[in-house]
Amino acid sequence: MAEKAERTEAETEKGMTIFLDVFRRADKNDDGFISWEEFVSYFADGVMGKEELQTLFDEIDSHNTNNIDTNELCTYFSQHLGEFKEIFSLLEEMNKKMTNVLYGTAKVYQESNRTDKFVKRFLMREILNQMSALQRPVEAASDTLDTQAREERADIKPLELEDIIKKSPTGNIVPGRVVRRAKRQISGISTGSEAFECYELNTEGSGIVNTQIDRLAQLIDRLENKVNLDGFRDEEVVAGEDDLVLLVQREFAVKEDSVDEFQGFLRAYVDLTQGFKGCLNASVRKLLDSHCFTIYEIWSNEEKYVQNCDSEATRTLVQKTAELLEKPETVHSMKIPGSWWKREI
């Protein structure tokens, strides 16, 4: 058994700490290594073929252990960052400053007058607008590069999601979607409201908010990929077959002393469900000063939702959290027009 070669943030050069978070998210079973199955689950992008990914895996695995540790991952990408290194350094610095601002705002917000509260809310919205403006050209360039890569080697068959599931020896590793946009949704998120909640739970301000800027990018994804009621009409005539999606609401009332343990299981469930074929989105809401969690899931159709109900992710959540709840989980669902679901293809 290979020894873990762990690298802490203090030991990582500027611009590289984000890859520690990449490692944590790719290491699904938290054993300190990225296996081949976990590597494919996280890094497959719908462009690279199996042989290409295997070659990349072997190149990163410089110790030839058939597993990748943090040092190997950071070392490989540090040699390939090029002009992106400065960008990653700025992102790290920005995330630290953003965390400090959110905690600082949480300390004084409740005691501020209404004008000051308005200003703080306006400034936060403007930060989101600016971040969104930065995201669009990066996303467009990323999609263009993906398209070019597919066209230049049309003979290469990208590694398919179904192939990974069939060939997974344990069956308990469910890969994420093989496009970058979905991976941003899989990533855990520290939003402004959660930072306020973190401050309430921990007034000493310890490092609860994860120090990775792509978690803020995910917030933008969630805001853009939401149910769109802006164009709602009292009466609408639809020509042809109606395009419906399924909205599912799952509510959990958690025992006070079991919240942390429940959140761990919940986070794992959302990570896996986001990668389940047919899941358009899965997000969690928690009311401040309560122990109630609500999962909102949007599915392309009811069949995919039913399949997910029998998945390993769902069974694990139900079985592991049964004793952590004050009362049984409640589930509500309804079908809504697909045109209300705003998403980018």
Side-chain angles (χ1 to χ4, degrees):
M1 179 70 177
E3 295 182 0
K4 296 181 184 179
E6 297 181 350
R7 181 184 295 202
T8 66
E9 292 189 10
E11 299 170 334
T12 305
E13 61 181 302
K14 193 171 183 180
M16 294 302 300
T17 57
I18 285 178
F19 292 97
L20 297 180
D21 185 59
V22 169
F23 185 91
R24 284 190 289 267
R25 285 182 279 133
D27 180 20
K28 293 290 186 181
N29 62 3
D30 295 321
D31 65 351
F33 300 98
I34 299 177
S35 66
W36 163 245
E37 289 81 6
E38 290 171 328
F39 179 83
V40 172
S41 171
Y42 188 83
F43 287 93
D45 62 352
V47 177
M48 300 284 279
K50 180 181 178 181
E51 292 183 359
E52 293 177 307
L53 285 173
Q54 183 67 64
T55 299
L56 178 60
F57 179 86
D58 293 339
E59 186 176 351
I60 299 175
D61 178 25
S62 59
H63 297 154
N64 299 319
T65 59
N66 292 322
N67 288 289
I68 296 173
D69 59 42
T70 53
N71 276 328
E72 290 174 324
L73 188 72
C74 291
T75 297
Y76 177 84
F77 280 102
S78 68
Q79 298 169 352
H80 294 80
L81 275 181
E83 63 271 22
F84 287 97
K85 183 174 182 178
E86 183 177 359
I87 300 297
F88 277 90
S89 297
L90 292 173
L91 291 176
E92 288 179 12
E93 186 64 25
M94 177 183 174
N95 192 66
K96 292 176 183 178
K97 291 184 180 297
M98 181 66 69
T99 299
N100 291 336
V101 168
L102 292 177
Y103 275 114
T105 301
K107 291 180 181 180
V108 301
Y109 185 81
Q110 293 300 329
E111 305 301 324
S112 302
N113 60 46
R114 287 182 61 80
T115 300
D116 288 341
K117 288 181 177 179
F118 163 78
V119 171
K120 287 180 172 60
R121 295 196 305 273
F122 168 78
L123 293 176
M124 285 191 177
R125 288 197 300 271
E126 190 56 33
I127 288 173
L128 287 175
N129 290 335
Q130 295 299 321
M131 292 175 63
S132 181
L134 289 172
Q135 179 191 358
R136 292 190 195 104
V138 174
E139 186 173 83
S142 177
D143 290 344
T144 298
L145 294 177
D146 284 348
T147 300
Q148 291 177 352
R150 293 189 189 97
E151 292 176 349
E152 68 184 11
R153 289 299 304 273
D155 58 307
I156 295 179
K157 181 182 181 298
L159 202 55
E160 297 291 341
L161 184 67
E162 292 78 6
D163 295 337
I164 304 170
I165 295 176
K166 291 177 182 177
K167 296 178 182 179
S168 175
T170 60
N172 58 5
I173 296 177
V174 181
R177 296 175 184 174
V178 289
V179 288
R180 292 188 179 92
R181 187 177 297 115
K183 287 176 181 174
R184 284 195 295 274
Q185 294 177 340
I186 293 175
S187 174
I189 179 170
S190 291
T191 66
S193 61
E194 288 174 338
F196 272 58
E197 181 179 336
C198 287
Y199 173 74
E200 296 293 335
L201 296 175
N202 185 357
T203 56
E204 296 180 359
S206 63
I208 299 178
V209 179
N210 194 294
T211 58
Q212 310 307 330
I213 195 63
D214 60 339
R215 296 174 187 266
L216 293 177
Q218 186 197 6
L219 172 61
I220 297 174
D221 279 356
R222 287 188 177 181
L223 290 175
E224 291 183 341
N225 296 326
K226 61 184 178 181
V227 174
N228 174 24
L229 299 179
D230 294 340
F232 179 79
R233 290 177 289 181
D234 291 338
E235 182 176 342
E236 181 178 16
V237 178
V238 179
E241 185 177 352
D242 200 4
D243 178 25
L244 301 176
V245 296
L246 183 68
L247 173 63
V248 179
Q249 177 188 31
R250 304 180 62 181
E251 297 178 332
F252 302 86
V254 184
K255 297 176 182 177
E256 184 174 359
D257 58 353
S258 302
V259 169
D260 290 342
E261 184 178 0
F262 176 82
Q263 284 182 307
F265 290 118
L266 185 62
R267 185 177 297 109
Y269 169 79
V270 172
D271 282 352
L272 295 175
T273 299
Q274 284 279 13
F276 199 93
K277 189 173 183 180
C279 179
L280 303 178
N281 191 61
S283 58
V284 179
R285 286 174 59 90
K286 177 184 181 298
L287 297 179
L288 192 63
D289 300 327
S290 80
H291 309 120
C292 296
F293 294 79
T294 303
I295 306 177
Y296 292 95
E297 302 173 5
I298 296 185
W299 294 89
S300 58
N301 55 57
E302 191 170 2
E303 179 183 359
K304 296 299 183 184
Y305 167 67
V306 172
Q307 291 175 0
N308 181 66
C309 290
D310 193 41
S311 69
E312 183 70 20
T314 300
R315 290 198 299 269
T316 299
L317 179 68
V318 173
Q319 294 170 3
K320 298 292 186 180
T321 63
E323 297 182 354
L324 307 180
L325 304 180
E326 293 180 345
K327 59 181 180 180
E329 167 197 0
T330 58
V331 180
H332 306 279
S333 65
M334 65 179 295
K335 293 182 178 180
I336 60 175
S339 59
W340 293 7
W341 173 248
K342 183 191 298 183
R343 62 178 180 177
E344 295 181 12
I345 302 300

